[in-house]
Amino acid sequence: MYRVLIVDDDKLARKGLISIVPWEECGFTVVGDVANGALALDFIEQNEVDLAVVDLAMPVLCGLDFIRECKLRRPEIKYVVLSSHESFDYIQKALRLGVCDYISKLQLDQEDCAEIFRRIASQMDSRATAESSPRESKKELIDGFCDEISALHCIYNREEMEVLRERTAAAQLNEIERYRLLLHMLRTVSQSFEVHLSEDDFDFHASQMEWMPQMREKLIDSIRRQENNQRIESLILVAADYILEHLTENELKTEDAADSISMSRSYFSTSFKKYTGFSVNGFIRKERVELAKKMVRENYSLSFSEVSYRVGYRDEKYFAKVFQLREGITFSEYKRALSDK
């Protein structure tokens, strides 16, 4: 568990954030909350902290000054900035200090918070792997990768699979270690989905681990070709793929995905959350935001209205809220950040 310190002069805001985020589910535990940057500096001198969630506007010592000073004292601590109405230029100053992410304090609900902090935990995991101590044995490292594969979330979520691929590539595994991971994923696929794939179809020699996302796609194709595969794990994977195929359709609903695998809506919703880590609607929103980001990266001239329509939303105001809650910034701010790179 990563240890979190909440720094905000608004006591209600601190308690609200602590109560609304399912911290343990996201890989965190809150070890303290204080009212300003000065108190936070005292706290980190006496306590171990991995992540500080910091309000930008505070008395005594503001968020930016706290981060600057804290980086001198405890350079290993990561940061997430809380913002409400600060200007984007002010937030950019925080980003230049190397914060992990920033989130809006406005209109956050439990599901959106869970998605945001789950993503932050994934980023921290990725950094921890790249910066892991030489003293950490390769066996422990590979065992961790195997545990992630066994949990199946990377099979259901393309982004998590890509993060895992990047982390394993950064670990610079030798061929024997890469082969062990390949065999473990093949075994996991066989046991969980009753699909038997051949190791000859995947190049474990490749250091960038391209075979990982390739196996996910081959697994989906194989399940679709099987008429009698009724394992719940397989059905949920098919349903997740159905959502991706119909993502841009405005009328896409939970019952559509449930109907695609002939399952009741209530049982489907519960099972989908269990295996993917997201509610059905949360999964749809996540994928639509990722698609919107991809579209604007490939065609910067696209307007928000065009992107909203293309990813399946007819209500631009609603998608604007979805995008900001998911990414912590507005669509226009995201485009502006792209232009600054």
Side-chain angles (χ1 to χ4, degrees), residues 259-326:
D259 289 345
S260 73
I261 55 173
S262 302
M263 187 179 292
S264 70
R265 179 179 176 180
S266 59
Y267 182 52
F268 172 69
S269 296
T270 302
S271 300
F272 193 90
K273 178 66 179 289
K274 174 183 177 181
Y275 289 105
T276 69
F278 291 90
S279 68
V280 180
N281 288 330
F283 186 84
I284 292 172
R285 290 197 296 267
K286 170 179 74 77
E287 292 296 337
R288 282 177 167 170
V289 168
E290 290 302 319
L291 179 59
K293 290 161 59 182
K294 181 175 183 290
M295 285 181 176
V296 76
R297 286 197 303 268
E298 294 176 350
N299 186 352
Y300 186 80
S301 65
L302 286 176
S303 68
F304 180 72
S305 177
E306 290 173 305
V307 171
S308 177
Y309 187 88
R310 291 188 185 189
V311 300
Y313 286 108
R314 302 298 179 262
D315 186 340
E316 294 178 32
K317 291 183 179 179
Y318 177 72
F319 184 49
K321 176 185 175 183
V322 167
F323 191 97
Q324 184 166 3
L325 289 178
R326 171 72 188 167

Side-chain angles (χ1 to χ4, degrees), residues 168-271:
T168 53
Q172 298 181 329
L173 307 178
N174 62 37
E175 287 201 0
I176 294 175
E177 293 160 344
R178 293 197 294 269
Y179 185 56
R180 178 190 166 190
L181 277 186
L182 173 67
L183 292 181
H184 181 78
M185 186 173 284
L186 286 170
R187 185 164 55 250
T188 298
V189 164
S190 176
Q191 293 173 346
S192 300
F193 300 95
E194 289 189 349
V195 171
H196 305 288
L197 302 177
S198 171
E199 64 180 79
D200 295 333
D201 292 333
F202 306 100
D203 181 13
F204 68 88
H205 301 285
S207 62
Q208 294 305 304
M209 314 297 281
E210 292 92 346
W211 60 264
M212 284 186 161
Q214 291 168 2
M215 188 180 296
R216 179 183 182 277
E217 298 306 315
K218 190 172 285 290
L219 169 61
I220 295 172
D221 290 341
S222 298
I223 292 174
R224 288 190 174 280
R225 289 197 299 268
Q226 294 178 343
E227 296 180 359
N228 59 347
N229 190 332
Q230 293 300 305
R231 288 185 67 91
I232 184 64
E233 294 92 341
S234 298
L235 294 175
I236 295 301
L237 183 56
V238 169
D241 195 52
Y242 173 91
I243 290 173
L244 297 179
E245 289 180 348
H246 297 80
L247 194 62
T248 59
E249 297 176 7
N250 175 242
E251 299 300 322
L252 178 61
K253 296 181 175 63
T254 298
E255 50 263 39
D256 298 326
D259 289 345
S260 73
I261 55 173
S262 302
M263 187 179 292
S264 70
R265 179 179 176 180
S266 59
Y267 182 52
F268 172 69
S269 296
T270 302
S271 300

Side-chain angles (χ1 to χ4, degrees), residues 16 29 31 39 45 60 70-71 99 125-126 146 148 150 177 191 201-202 218 243 271 273 295 304 322-323 339:
T29 181
V31 294
L39 293 174
E45 292 295 336
V60 184
C70 191
K71 287 175 76 68
V99 303
D125 286 341
S126 183
C146 288
E148 291 185 50
S150 297
E177 293 160 344
Q191 293 173 346
D201 292 333
F202 306 100
K218 190 172 285 290
I243 290 173
S271 300
K273 178 66 179 289
M295 285 181 176
F304 180 72
V322 167
F323 191 97
S339 67

Side-chain angles (χ1 to χ4, degrees), residues 62-161:
C62 73
L64 289 180
D65 289 340
F66 162 71
I67 293 173
R68 291 189 184 100
E69 180 62 27
C70 191
K71 287 175 76 68
L72 296 175
R73 301 188 189 187
R74 296 282 300 279
E76 74 278 8
I77 293 178
K78 309 300 181 186
Y79 306 91
V80 174
V81 167
L82 292 172
S83 65
S84 52
H85 51 74
E86 289 81 12
S87 70
F88 186 64
D89 289 339
Y90 196 49
I91 295 173
Q92 277 188 317
K93 291 180 181 178
L95 293 177
R96 293 189 188 105
L97 288 174
V99 303
C100 291
D101 210 334
Y102 64 94
I103 58 178
S104 171
K105 295 170 68 174
L106 306 176
Q107 300 176 322
L108 287 177
D109 60 31
Q110 185 177 42
E111 185 174 296
D112 292 310
C113 281
E115 292 183 20
I116 289 169
F117 279 96
R118 193 179 292 115
R119 183 175 72 249
I120 292 168
S122 179
Q123 293 171 353
M124 293 178 71
D125 286 341
S126 183
R127 290 188 181 98
T129 299
E131 300 167 0
S132 59
S133 167
R135 293 175 294 180
E136 181 182 17
S137 73
K138 277 291 185 67
K139 182 181 183 303
E140 291 174 341
L141 190 62
I142 296 171
D143 285 347
F145 291 146
C146 288
D147 288 343
E148 291 185 50
I149 293 169
S150 297
L152 299 182
H153 283 179
C154 63
I155 303 292
Y156 293 102
N157 292 275
R158 291 181 301 189
E159 293 89 355
E160 289 194 28
M161 179 65 81

